[in-house]
Amino acid sequence: MRKYIPEDTIRRLSVYLRNLINLKKIGKKIASSKEITISLNIQPSQFRKDLSYFGSFGKRGVGYDIDKLIEHLEKIIGINKKIKVILVGVGRLGSALLRYKGFSLLNMEIVCAFDNDPKKIGKVIDGIEIKDIKEMKKVLQKEKIKVGIISVPSSSAQEVAQYMVNSGIKGILNFAPITLNLPKNIFIKHVDIPSELGVLIFKLENL
Amino acid sequence: MRKYIPEDTIRRLSVYLRNLINLKKIGKKIASSKEITISLNIQPSQFRKDLSYFGSFGKRGVGYDIDKLIEHLEKIIGINKKIKVILVGVGRLGSALLRYKGFSLLNMEIVCAFDNDPKKIGKVIDGIEIKDIKEMKKVLQKEKIKVGIISVPSSSAQEVAQYMVNSGIKGILNFAPITLNLPKNIFIKHVDIPSELGVLIFKLENL
């Protein structure tokens, strides 16, 4: 068991990584913590603190070797090899996620989608085949996939989540606006769009 | 200036509210903190602590009057009246958000969308008109809208965000995977889908 690492720290690793990849693209080789964080609205001290959970990187007075830090961060997050992901529920949001281009920079790829609607099964969206949900277990075993995205309606999300877990999924990114009840060893992240909007509205009214 | 309230507490208010509305729908009138939280994977003590930031609700040994608590929570979050929202960028994700049905339960409504693509301007998606981005200021003033959603590509998100702020937007829900640099009085929430997936992958690899 590792020491406790705040979830916000883990989330920011992807943000730093994406920024470093963009700095590399424009030809930078070395960057200071200030250069890495200035466009992120994050304090350089926060960046250094976040990194310190994972070891010692960069040289005082010199900065960070961008190539090496990219390599380190990819390894820490677990995306130094391509991570294959499935998506379940090819409705409006699901279709948009299949076409979303933001995953590849972080070495993530939706390789297969599932639905139970015969009209959708067999179709291909942006190169991703939609399969019958009954084939999930076979696909997960063959492709060694452990992570899935849920974009089904709230009414079927719990049932679908349980089915995914029974088929071998260990981590779920849930877009349905309900709380999933799953065994404690399953990791769940909830992207709750109306609640995020609620936070904004509260702040506008109160702060 | 109010006392400090954790952002997670504010976010959970919407989760409680949604659950209370569903309990009301199935005919419940009174609920204990356990009944309210059991399907949410939240401890009753957390629920009571979250509420305590805003006053005293419910009666010891009796429970919470669901109607009244719904009313209180809507007022606290600021959604006791319908909150109108705009969306900018009617691409794949933007179109899906226009069709997304999860806002209305929390009294939020996307009333207008904007794009700069002449092929999209004038179209209507699920009753929501797509207008020229140049008309934003007029619409915001007329409809008294302060909250906007950004679903444009990363490359134009900063420029669009600045334009929204110049047009009168005070709170932004950003779906573009970049950090926005805006004046400190603007509230920003970032829905960073790849980074959330990164948190899941990290946990699967490390915990």
Side-chain angles (χ1 to χ4, degrees):
Chain A
M1 196 70 181
R2 295 176 70 130
K3 64 179 176 291
Y4 171 74
I5 299 165
E7 194 160 299
D8 283 340
T9 290
I10 303 168
R11 188 178 301 104
R12 279 191 295 266
L13 297 181
S14 294
V15 176
Y16 301 140
L17 175 55
R18 203 158 44 204
N19 200 30
L20 286 162
I21 293 170
N22 287 328
L23 287 171
K24 182 181 175 170
K25 276 187 190 164
I26 59 167
K28 291 279 285 183
K29 304 276 185 205
I30 303 281
S32 66
S33 51
K34 196 177 167 188
E35 287 173 298
I36 293 168
T37 54
I38 194 159
S39 69
L40 301 175
N41 287 328
I42 295 171
Q43 293 297 316
S45 58
Q46 179 70 64
F47 167 75
R48 291 190 298 265
K49 191 180 173 198
D50 285 339
L51 284 192
S52 72
Y53 284 98
F54 306 98
S56 176
F57 311 95
K59 276 183 195 159
R60 189 171 288 271
V62 178
Y64 297 85
D65 180 311
I66 291 178
D67 271 339
K68 277 191 189 158
L69 191 51
I70 288 173
E71 205 177 301
H72 280 305
L73 288 176
E74 286 182 341
K75 202 166 172 196
I76 291 167
I77 301 169
I79 51 176
N80 47 330
K81 53 190 183 303
K82 178 156 286 178
I83 297 293
K84 295 178 185 173
V85 174
I86 61 159
L87 177 141
V88 187
V90 191
R92 290 149 174 178
L93 185 61
S95 308
L97 290 169
L98 292 182
R99 293 181 173 110
Y100 181 67
K101 296 297 168 210
F103 295 123
S104 62
L105 199 67
L106 295 184
N107 263 336
M108 305 161 183
E109 186 187 0
I110 300 175
V111 294
C112 187
F114 295 93
D115 207 292
N116 63 0
D117 179 350
K119 277 178 267 173
K120 290 174 185 166
I121 294 165
K123 282 195 178 168
V124 176
I125 294 182
D126 263 29
I128 304 162
E129 193 181 345
I130 304 168
K131 296 194 177 187
D132 190 328
I133 198 163
K134 287 175 195 148
E135 293 183 57
M136 192 185 294
K137 195 168 186 171
K138 208 171 59 187
V139 172
L140 295 183
Q141 284 177 345
K142 191 181 160 209
E143 304 268 4
K144 299 194 194 334
I145 297 174
K146 290 180 198 162
V147 181
I149 298 171
I150 290 188
S151 49
V152 300
S154 296
S155 53
S156 51
Q158 175 62 38
E159 192 191 348
V160 164
Q162 190 59 60
Y163 188 86
M164 289 165 77
V165 169
N166 294 347
S167 304
I169 286 293
K170 303 286 184 202
I172 290 177
L173 188 66
N174 174 32
F175 281 86
I178 66 152
T179 304
L180 301 173
N181 273 295
L182 295 171
K184 289 214 185 306
N185 63 328
I186 305 300
F187 295 106
I188 307 170
K189 290 292 303 168
H190 191 185
V191 181
D192 184 341
I193 300 169
S195 298
E196 297 292 343
L197 211 44
V199 175
L200 266 186
I201 293 165
F202 173 88
K203 288 185 171 183
L204 276 172
E205 299 278 324
N206 291 283
L207 303 183
Chain B
M1 197 70 183
R2 296 175 70 131
K3 62 180 179 289
Y4 171 73
I5 299 165
E7 194 161 299
D8 284 339
T9 290
I10 304 168
R11 188 178 300 106
R12 280 191 295 264
L13 297 181
S14 294
V15 176
Y16 302 140
L17 175 56
R18 201 157 46 204
N19 200 30
L20 286 161
I21 293 169
N22 287 328
L23 287 172
K24 183 182 174 169
K25 276 187 188 161
I26 59 166
K28 291 279 284 183
K29 303 277 183 203
I30 303 281
S32 66
S33 52
K34 196 177 166 189
E35 287 174 296
I36 293 168
T37 54
I38 194 160
S39 69
L40 302 175
N41 286 328
I42 295 172
Q43 292 298 315
S45 58
Q46 179 70 64
F47 168 73
R48 290 189 299 265
K49 191 181 172 196
D50 286 339
L51 285 192
S52 72
Y53 283 98
F54 306 98
S56 176
F57 310 95
K59 280 184 191 157
R60 189 171 288 270
V62 179
Y64 297 84
D65 180 310
I66 290 178
D67 271 338
K68 278 192 188 155
L69 192 51
I70 288 173
E71 206 177 299
H72 279 307
L73 287 176
E74 285 182 342
K75 203 166 171 199
I76 291 167
I77 301 169
I79 51 176
N80 47 331
K81 54 189 185 303
K82 179 156 284 175
I83 297 292
K84 296 177 184 173
V85 174
I86 61 160
L87 177 141
V88 188
V90 191
R92 289 148 176 180
L93 185 61
S95 309
L97 290 169
L98 292 183
R99 294 181 172 111
Y100 180 68
K101 295 299 169 210
F103 294 122
S104 61
L105 199 67
L106 295 184
N107 263 335
M108 305 161 183
E109 186 187 2
I110 301 175
V111 294
C112 187
F114 295 93
D115 209 291
N116 63 0
D117 180 350
K119 276 178 266 170
K120 289 174 185 167
I121 294 165
K123 282 196 178 168
V124 177
I125 295 182
D126 263 30
I128 304 162
E129 194 182 342
I130 303 168
K131 295 194 177 187
D132 190 327
I133 198 161
K134 286 174 196 147
E135 293 183 57
M136 192 185 295
K137 196 169 187 171
K138 210 171 57 185
V139 173
L140 295 183
Q141 283 175 346
K142 191 181 162 210
E143 304 267 5
K144 301 195 191 333
I145 296 173
K146 290 180 198 159
V147 181
I149 298 172
I150 291 189
S151 48
V152 300
S154 296
S155 53
S156 52
Q158 174 63 37
E159 192 190 347
V160 164
Q162 190 60 60
Y163 188 86
M164 289 165 77
V165 169
N166 295 347
S167 304
I169 286 292
K170 303 285 182 202
I172 290 178
L173 189 66
N174 173 33
F175 281 87
I178 67 152
T179 303
L180 301 173
N181 273 294
L182 295 171
K184 288 214 187 302
N185 63 329
I186 306 298
F187 295 106
I188 307 170
K189 291 290 304 167
H190 191 183
V191 181
D192 185 342
I193 300 169
S195 297
E196 297 293 343
L197 211 45
V199 174
L200 266 185
I201 293 164
F202 173 87
K203 288 184 171 183
L204 276 173
E205 298 278 323
N206 289 284
L207 303 183

